[in-house]
Amino acid sequence: MESIDELLAAHRAYLLGWNIGEAGDVNLVTYRSDVPHPPLNGVLRLVGRDPADALVEARRRLDGVARIWWVGPDSDAGTADALASLGAAPVITLPIMAVPIDEASDAPAPAQVRIAETSDVDEFVTAYARVSGIPPTGVPAAIARERSFVGDGTLIRLAGRLDDGRIVGTAVAWLSHGVLTLYYVGTHPEYRRQGIGAAMTRAALDVAHERGIRTASLSSTVAGEPVYRRLGFRTVGTYRLLSF
């Protein structure tokens, strides 16, 4: 399985693909999409800089947008506590989970759902916005950013559709640094508890495996963690997210 460094680098590469602002350097990595959704604007890494100075600089770069600060194993030890002492508010702790794709469990799609790659960005973003917290007013900006996405890797959009063509499940497969990283794995509320989320995840693993990728990774919410554990994902690190 790939190292935690590759997993973290792949995550940074994906979010930097949304960036239309100042990314900075390796010591203070920021990204700004201007989508009114905190996970799409923020700080990805802090190394070798005074947290107080970095906080001032991050606020300048991200002024006017909802944002978060990801503190993971690629930031200096003590970063999260230092930021909290300066007024940043803890939001959530997310496990970084990974699995060797060859060891992941099967998860067939329900009979009524077909999973395939989609090129319809408008429809796809509208579908994942519904379950990811992006407000309706932010959907046009998210569509624009998706259309102009430029990242160090390959992005594949998977849609789970009913026979009538409606999207009820989504997953973004991001192939970068030799790793599959999953984003926007979601199921519309009225179709949950049918195994669609697990099937979307498994489909992304299959796509990556066909392209020679050996390791899959994601950052899980509390609700999604049991699903991923059943598929074979295990915790290899944590992100502490803070607002500021």
Side-chain angles (χ1 to χ4, degrees):
M1 190 163 70
E2 306 303 322
S3 73
I4 186 69
D5 291 337
E6 277 82 18
L7 308 188
L8 299 169
H11 176 67
R12 293 195 303 270
Y14 173 74
L15 288 175
L16 284 170
W18 287 81
N19 185 49
I20 58 172
E22 184 179 347
D25 55 29
V26 295
N27 295 323
L28 180 63
V29 182
T30 60
Y31 64 105
R32 177 176 184 142
S33 71
D34 280 352
V35 177
H37 182 53
L40 293 178
N41 310 278
V43 181
L44 290 165
R45 188 184 194 194
L46 175 61
V47 177
R49 286 192 58 170
D50 177 72
D53 291 342
L55 184 58
V56 171
E57 177 64 15
R59 284 176 168 150
R60 181 191 66 78
R61 296 184 195 176
L62 299 166
D63 182 52
V65 295
R67 67 271 181 133
I68 59 172
W69 196 307
W70 300 80
V71 181
D74 50 349
S75 287
D76 286 338
T79 294
D81 291 339
L83 293 171
S85 72
L86 294 165
V91 176
I92 194 172
T93 297
L94 299 178
I96 303 168
M97 306 183 77
V99 64
I101 293 177
D102 285 341
E103 299 176 14
S105 301
D106 288 334
Q112 76 276 20
V113 177
R114 295 173 291 106
I115 301 174
E117 185 175 353
T118 181
S119 59
D120 190 329
V121 173
D122 294 33
E123 181 187 32
F124 185 75
V125 174
T126 301
Y128 76 56
R130 184 180 172 197
V131 295
S132 66
I134 297 175
T137 55
V139 171
I143 290 172
R145 296 291 86 76
E146 282 270 11
R147 287 188 174 279
S148 61
F149 185 95
V150 179
D152 181 15
T154 300
L155 188 148
I156 301 169
R157 302 177 180 93
L158 297 174
R161 298 179 185 272
L162 300 179
D163 290 338
D164 62 8
R166 282 181 295 155
I167 296 179
V168 296
T170 60
V172 168
W174 172 240
L175 312 182
S176 179
H177 291 77
V179 178
L180 160 67
T181 314
L182 286 150
Y183 298 94
Y184 293 114
V185 179
T187 306
H188 286 181
E190 60 270 31
Y191 293 97
R192 289 175 182 162
R193 300 187 181 278
Q194 298 181 37
I196 296 174
M200 297 299 306
T201 304
R202 181 67 244 193
L205 268 61
D206 291 340
V207 167
H209 187 264
E210 291 171 359
R211 300 189 181 212
I213 302 296
R214 299 181 303 168
T215 301
S217 179
L218 51 82
S219 301
S220 177
T221 63
V222 172
E225 189 172 350
V227 175
Y228 300 127
R229 289 200 179 279
R230 287 194 292 271
L231 284 167
F233 284 83
R234 295 293 178 263
T235 299
V236 296
T238 57
Y239 281 118
R240 292 173 65 182
L241 274 58
L242 300 94
S243 66
F244 65 99

